[in-house]
Amino acid sequence: PSRPIAIRSVIRPVRRARRGRGRRRAAARRDGRGGRAVSDARAEILARVRRALADVPPAEAAADVAVPRAYRRAGALAAAEAVDQFARHCGAYRADVRRVEAAQLPAAIADALARRGARRLAIPADLPAAWRVPEAGGAPVTWIEDDDLTPAQLSAVDGVVTGCAVAIAVNGAIVLDGGPAQGRRALTLLPDYHLCVVRADQVVELVPEAIARLADAARAGRPMTMIAGPSATSDIELDRVEGVHGPRTLDVVLVAA
């Protein structure tokens, strides 16, 4: 019997505080103080921008000014060391990383699908035929090519299988750019499970090296997705929740050169 009273004793002050804030906002709107505050801040920001650009000739273009690039633009690790580092860092983000030889790739895909209970997989239309294993764990696998599947259809599949554009050793991230064997962005955001195949020759050590490889996709205006483990976020109490903005489960099959 005491619980409702305790709850009300908390709720009533909160409600009064909210009503007080609402009255203050309404008063600010009535006398224009709220509008002026926003307007003054905007004017100040724009004034600072104008002052910073005061000495720039009107005809000057961005390409006319050299940008200092004192940061490292090329890695120092050997290729095998970069691949090892990527595997460690990607796994640290709770991705399940399995390293295989090229001949073992179909079996590794089938094994991953069997472990996850995934039987209906969405795929980009250009996914290599060798990756489309006929069965996993003794059960047939259905491959559904993404011919503009609806969000509901993408959410209903067991997962998605793709390749990638590049992988980054220093932070364990995988980048998709809509290129070969990757498909459109929604294909890898809506399903709850993502199996991504990464070739060893797609691994670079540093972020600037990855950006250089993505130049063609950037010029073409293709959207890019950077993946660092399963999709996850935390609330204000730091409780981790996975699968909010993308797949909650990520398997990576890392194929040796």
Side-chain angles (χ1 to χ4, degrees), residues 153-181:
Q153 290 171 320
L154 286 173
S155 297
V157 299
D158 296 329
V160 57
V161 178
T162 73
C164 72
V166 64
I168 307 170
V170 73
N171 61 8
I174 298 168
V175 187
L176 309 181
D177 69 357

Side-chain angles (χ1 to χ4, degrees), residues 1-249:
S2 62
R3 182 170 298 174
I5 297 173
I7 293 174
R8 284 195 296 270
S9 66
V10 173
I11 291 175
R12 284 171 179 164
V14 171
R15 286 176 175 168
R16 285 196 293 270
R18 287 177 177 170
R19 284 197 295 269
R21 287 197 297 270
R23 295 190 191 101
R24 287 193 293 274
R25 291 193 191 105
R29 284 194 295 270
R30 283 195 300 271
D31 64 16
R33 283 184 288 122
R36 280 205 303 273
V38 173
S39 179
D40 291 347
R42 178 177 180 274
E44 175 59 24
I45 292 170
L46 293 177
R48 292 184 183 184
V49 172
R50 293 189 190 98
R51 288 196 295 270
L53 298 176
D55 61 344
V56 177
E60 184 179 280
D64 298 333
V65 181
V67 178
R69 300 189 184 277
Y71 51 83
R72 285 201 302 154
R73 302 176 67 184
L77 295 178
E81 293 174 323
V83 172
D84 290 343
Q85 187 182 77
F86 167 74
R88 290 196 306 272
H89 290 175
C90 186
Y93 284 119
R94 302 191 184 182
D96 190 334
V97 181
R98 180 175 179 183
R99 303 181 67 167
V100 301
E101 299 295 327
Q104 300 171 319
L105 176 57
I109 292 174
D111 180 64
L113 299 182
R115 285 187 294 110
R116 302 299 183 185
R119 300 294 182 267
R120 297 179 66 256
L121 285 304
I123 55 172
D126 61 346
L127 193 81
W131 300 6
R132 307 184 190 196
V133 296
E135 63 178 35
V141 175
T142 301
W143 299 98
I144 305 169
E145 291 189 357
D146 179 27
D147 183 17
D148 201 24
L149 296 173
T150 66
Q153 290 171 320
L154 286 173
S155 297
V157 299
D158 296 329
V160 57
V161 178
T162 73
C164 72
V166 64
I168 307 170
V170 73
N171 61 8
I174 298 168
V175 187
L176 309 181
D177 69 357
Q182 297 167 63
R184 61 191 173 114
R185 198 173 200 181
L187 181 63
T188 52
L189 291 179
L190 292 177
D192 204 41
Y193 167 59
H194 184 190
L195 189 156
C196 187
V197 176
V198 179
R199 301 192 318 270
D201 62 1
Q202 293 177 306
V203 178
V204 298
E205 181 183 345
L206 304 177
V207 173
E209 293 175 296
I211 297 301
R213 291 201 184 191
L214 297 166
D216 289 343
R219 281 190 286 267
R222 298 202 304 265
M224 303 180 197
T225 304
M226 290 192 175
I227 303 168
S231 172
T233 188
S234 296
D235 62 17
I236 195 170
E237 296 180 347
L238 301 182
D239 290 328
R240 180 184 173 97
V241 180
E242 296 181 345
V244 176
H245 307 295
R248 79 181 66 221
T249 305

